[in-house]
Amino acid sequence: MTRGACVAAVGCLCVATLLSVATGCAAARDVRAAAPSVDSALPSWRDGAARAAIVDFAARTTDPASVDFVPEPERIAVFDNDGTLWAEQPMYVQLAFIVDRVKALRAAHSEWETTEPFASLLKGDAKAVAAQGEHALGALVAATHGGMTDDEFRAAVRGWLATARHPTTGLRYDAMVYQPMLEVLAYLRANGYRTFIVSGGGVDFVRAFATEAYGIPSDQVIGSTAKYRHETRDGVPTVAKTGEIDFVDDGKGKPVGIASRIGMRPRIAFGNSDGDFEMLAWTTAGQGARLGVLIHHTDAEREWAYDRASPIGKLVRGLDEAPARGWTVVDMARDWSVIYPETK
Amino acid sequence: MTRGACVAAVGCLCVATLLSVATGCAAARDVRAAAPSVDSALPSWRDGAARAAIVDFAARTTDPASVDFVPEPERIAVFDNDGTLWAEQPMYVQLAFIVDRVKALRAAHSEWETTEPFASLLKGDAKAVAAQGEHALGALVAATHGGMTDDEFRAAVRGWLATARHPTTGLRYDAMVYQPMLEVLAYLRANGYRTFIVSGGGVDFVRAFATEAYGIPSDQVIGSTAKYRHETRDGVPTVAKTGEIDFVDDGKGKPVGIASRIGMRPRIAFGNSDGDFEMLAWTTAGQGARLGVLIHHTDAEREWAYDRASPIGKLVRGLDEAPARGWTVVDMARDWSVIYPETK
């Protein structure tokens, strides 16, 4: 995802995209390739340069006889979430959660009917919300994310994911993870890599589903964070989220978040937008074997096709500089035989 | 460790203890108990209530038939570092590093000879440094930790650890880890627990040796942090430490650091001082099976004996409230047959 044009807010979600409707068509058809891969690894990846780059890198860095061998403690792979591990169109999933949450809390907040930005949001007037800028988004995040403990917030997200459906595919949002990327995560872990999410989205939002959806434990999720507050409620110590922004994990924030939380430069970075540019650039500037991969959304039929002109997931600099930087660009339409997992 | 009386500084090290000299005697004698344990787990723990509490907790929480069963993703165990995993007397190891680093950088900083707090420190005048308060400590941390990349800082710490020796034992500092705690870490990991360090010390300092000393990867180290800055040096993207404090991981900061970095309340918490009180209180206030353990430094012969009156590792409230809170108190002199690992 890119949130470069966005404001410093928890989850850093573009107000401009609020309530926007997808113009591209998105279908969840499972079009498994007829021809099986020559290798059992990464079965949803068609043979080609992208798949070869991943498999070759894993082989070289785990072979003690190779000059590119990487000791296991240094096998760190980082992944953007929105647009890299799951779909981000027509709006970031967290934004859909915020919208629904405001609606769900409406009855208990009659003042919202006449208070901005809630009034405009409840009327479905995205432009009016957007016109109110950063402050409005901060108010929405604080109202929908603040004051809860981790357990309470996680339960709210999980309850929402269980019932919400994507506006065009009709799928659960967490069914719109990318099957080829689930295979990459499992494949790298089988090769001794530890996999981390580095998301511009709110860390607690992503943590609510990361373990179930991706097999990634909550401490291996890095994201934008609100400040926490230690407080005693009825004599019981708790840690509660505030609505106050602590850290925005996007653009230059991604290398900073990784340095702070992981304490090591990764060997592998996957992203899909210019919000991931600095993460890939920092990762691949390290000494020794490094792998940078961009997921290019080229599949208007099975997913969405977007890059340079998209308000969400804008990808310009990455495309321009990938060849010179040696980054692998995945052509989703060509390289992936399947987009989403088979629906259970 | 406790840093309750300390200021908000990276590493949060007490100026008052700077260059202080241990009054207690510390010897590194290996006094392995003659009688082997009834169980092969935790061989350096003598049979007793403390050992039984740990073994019993691991058994109950990993038995699917037990009401206390904990699913593997929730098996999180957190450990204070100074005084819990390694020795903290007569001064925090990080402080010894700072002192030596100022001396090492002296030749390149002739201005320090006449600039405070460096001039006093170089003269060995701890009292004069302490009298200058927070600002002085901040200056020392910035001068010795700031401006370096992670790799540079880690190399500096490792180089120091390889040559520095403890003033009374003559051992390398990283040889003064507690053998019984190494066994607890390994034992819990063998039972599916993931082990984290939650230190009031600087996170990068602890990360420099945590993997080798404890088998804990750098991302499972939480600590006090300086802000990082993304910058391009000679066209190469880097992330460098600044001297500016971002987060102090002590007291109430420990639950906040855990919530922020791990995103989950731990099942097990080990500490040794009132700086760990809130971490143990928050951990053991959670629903289901929880284990809180305090290491009580009672062994003046083999390590140090200190608690209520010690400027380092002060332990008052923890001792007072442990029985009512159901926390296990480890009597180091009685419960541990060995203190340090056999020197290689």
Side-chain angles (χ1 to χ4, degrees):
Chain A
M1 74 191 306
T2 181
R3 295 183 165 97
C6 300
V7 296
V10 171
C12 196
L13 299 158
C14 290
V15 177
T17 64
L18 204 65
L19 300 176
S20 71
V21 175
T23 50
C25 158
R29 276 165 285 160
D30 186 331
V31 284
R32 242 169 242 282
S37 164
V38 291
D39 191 322
S40 64
L42 308 180
S44 300
W45 289 72
R46 296 199 184 101
D47 287 334
R51 181 180 178 285
I54 298 166
V55 173
D56 173 63
F57 187 87
R60 281 186 288 126
T61 57
T62 56
D63 174 4
S66 169
V67 292
D68 289 333
F69 179 73
V70 176
E72 203 152 329
E74 295 176 29
R75 291 187 202 157
I76 302 288
V78 294
F79 299 81
D80 169 58
N81 184 45
D82 294 301
T84 299
L85 294 180
W86 75 356
E88 63 183 347
Q89 300 286 357
M91 66 168 131
Y92 298 126
V93 178
Q94 189 176 3
L95 195 52
F97 168 73
I98 289 173
V99 170
D100 284 355
R101 185 121 186 108
V102 167
K103 290 178 184 167
L105 297 174
R106 180 181 198 162
H109 291 273
S110 58
E111 75 279 10
W112 286 355
E113 306 296 333
T114 53
T115 312
E116 290 301 335
F118 305 97
S120 294
L121 185 144
L122 289 169
K123 285 178 202 141
D125 189 347
K127 280 189 183 172
V129 176
Q132 296 171 54
E134 288 184 36
H135 177 73
L137 182 55
L140 290 171
V141 168
T144 54
H145 293 46
M148 282 185 277
T149 66
D150 274 355
D151 289 344
E152 292 164 351
F153 183 75
R154 197 163 301 176
V157 174
R158 288 178 181 167
W160 178 79
L161 280 173
T163 56
R165 292 294 180 275
H166 188 273
T168 57
T169 67
L171 292 170
R172 278 176 65 125
Y173 286 100
D174 54 1
M176 294 176 68
V177 296
Y178 301 134
Q179 175 64 27
M181 292 306 297
L182 297 182
E183 294 167 7
V184 167
L185 291 170
Y187 176 68
L188 290 177
R189 288 196 287 256
N191 279 282
Y193 279 87
R194 293 167 62 242
T195 54
F196 291 76
I197 293 173
V198 181
S199 174
V203 69
D204 297 308
F205 184 79
V206 182
R207 282 175 175 163
F209 58 88
T211 303
E212 198 171 339
Y214 306 125
I216 292 179
S218 63
D219 59 282
Q220 288 173 211
V221 178
I222 299 168
S224 295
T225 48
K227 287 190 176 166
Y228 287 81
R229 189 176 47 234
H230 178 276
E231 55 189 38
T232 303
R233 295 180 178 181
D234 302 329
V236 180
T238 61
V239 179
K241 291 162 64 71
T242 70
E244 196 185 345
I245 296 143
D246 188 38
F247 172 64
V248 177
D249 190 45
D250 195 43
K252 290 183 178 180
K254 291 200 174 195
V256 167
I258 293 166
S260 164
R261 268 61 172 182
I262 303 180
M264 198 180 296
R265 195 192 301 243
R267 290 289 173 164
I268 301 174
F270 277 72
N272 77 301
S273 81
D274 283 349
D276 305 316
F277 186 89
E278 284 86 356
M279 178 169 76
L280 266 72
W282 180 61
T283 296
T284 57
Q287 292 189 314
R290 309 279 167 168
L291 178 67
V293 182
L294 283 172
I295 308 298
H296 190 194
H297 292 263
T298 53
D299 197 327
E301 192 185 343
R302 295 183 299 168
E303 205 239 5
W304 286 270
Y306 61 97
D307 46 38
R308 295 175 185 274
S310 176
I312 295 177
K314 186 175 180 177
L315 179 64
V316 179
R317 195 176 172 197
L319 282 181
D320 291 343
E321 300 190 20
R325 290 179 179 270
W327 296 348
T328 295
V329 179
V330 174
D331 179 336
M332 193 184 270
R334 193 223 161 275
D335 289 321
W336 289 1
S337 64
V338 180
I339 305 294
Y340 306 125
E342 281 194 75
T343 309
K344 295 154 198 165
Chain B
M1 77 192 302
T2 181
R3 295 180 165 97
C6 301
V7 296
V10 171
C12 196
L13 300 159
C14 289
V15 177
T17 63
L18 204 66
L19 299 176
S20 69
V21 176
T23 48
C25 159
R29 275 163 284 160
D30 186 331
V31 285
R32 241 170 243 284
S37 164
V38 291
D39 191 322
S40 65
L42 308 181
S44 301
W45 289 72
R46 296 198 185 102
D47 287 334
R51 181 180 178 284
I54 298 166
V55 173
D56 174 63
F57 188 86
R60 281 186 288 125
T61 56
T62 56
D63 174 3
S66 167
V67 291
D68 289 332
F69 179 72
V70 176
E72 201 151 331
E74 295 175 28
R75 291 186 202 156
I76 303 287
V78 293
F79 299 81
D80 170 57
N81 185 45
D82 294 300
T84 299
L85 294 180
W86 76 356
E88 63 184 347
Q89 300 286 0
M91 66 167 129
Y92 298 129
V93 179
Q94 189 175 3
L95 194 52
F97 169 72
I98 289 174
V99 170
D100 284 353
R101 187 125 184 103
V102 167
K103 290 178 185 167
L105 297 174
R106 179 180 198 164
H109 291 271
S110 57
E111 75 278 10
W112 286 354
E113 307 295 334
T114 53
T115 313
E116 290 301 330
F118 306 96
S120 293
L121 186 143
L122 289 168
K123 285 178 204 144
D125 188 346
K127 278 190 183 170
V129 176
Q132 296 172 56
E134 288 185 34
H135 176 74
L137 182 56
L140 291 171
V141 169
T144 52
H145 293 45
M148 282 185 274
T149 66
D150 273 355
D151 290 344
E152 292 164 351
F153 183 75
R154 199 163 301 176
V157 174
R158 287 177 181 167
W160 178 78
L161 280 174
T163 56
R165 292 294 180 274
H166 187 275
T168 57
T169 68
L171 291 170
R172 279 176 64 125
Y173 286 100
D174 54 2
M176 293 176 68
V177 298
Y178 301 134
Q179 174 64 26
M181 293 306 297
L182 297 182
E183 294 167 8
V184 167
L185 291 170
Y187 176 69
L188 291 177
R189 289 197 287 257
N191 279 282
Y193 278 87
R194 293 166 63 243
T195 53
F196 292 76
I197 292 173
V198 181
S199 173
V203 69
D204 297 308
F205 184 80
V206 182
R207 281 174 176 163
F209 59 86
T211 303
E212 198 172 339
Y214 306 125
I216 292 180
S218 62
D219 60 281
Q220 288 174 210
V221 178
I222 300 168
S224 296
T225 48
K227 285 189 179 167
Y228 287 82
R229 188 175 49 231
H230 178 276
E231 56 188 37
T232 304
R233 295 182 179 180
D234 301 329
V236 180
T238 61
V239 178
K241 293 163 64 70
T242 71
E244 196 185 345
I245 297 145
D246 189 38
F247 172 65
V248 178
D249 191 45
D250 194 43
K252 289 182 178 181
K254 291 201 173 194
V256 166
I258 294 167
S260 164
R261 267 62 171 181
I262 305 181
M264 198 180 297
R265 195 192 299 241
R267 290 289 175 162
I268 301 174
F270 277 73
N272 78 298
S273 80
D274 283 349
D276 305 315
F277 186 90
E278 284 86 355
M279 177 169 79
L280 266 71
W282 181 61
T283 297
T284 57
Q287 293 188 313
R290 310 277 166 169
L291 178 67
V293 182
L294 283 173
I295 308 298
H296 190 194
H297 292 263
T298 52
D299 196 327
E301 191 185 343
R302 295 183 299 167
E303 206 239 6
W304 286 269
Y306 60 97
D307 47 38
R308 296 173 185 273
S310 176
I312 295 176
K314 186 176 181 177
L315 180 63
V316 178
R317 194 175 172 197
L319 281 182
D320 290 342
E321 299 191 20
R325 291 178 179 271
W327 296 349
T328 295
V329 178
V330 173
D331 179 336
M332 193 183 271
R334 192 222 161 277
D335 289 320
W336 288 3
S337 63
V338 180
I339 304 293
Y340 306 125
E342 281 193 74
T343 308
K344 297 157 200 164

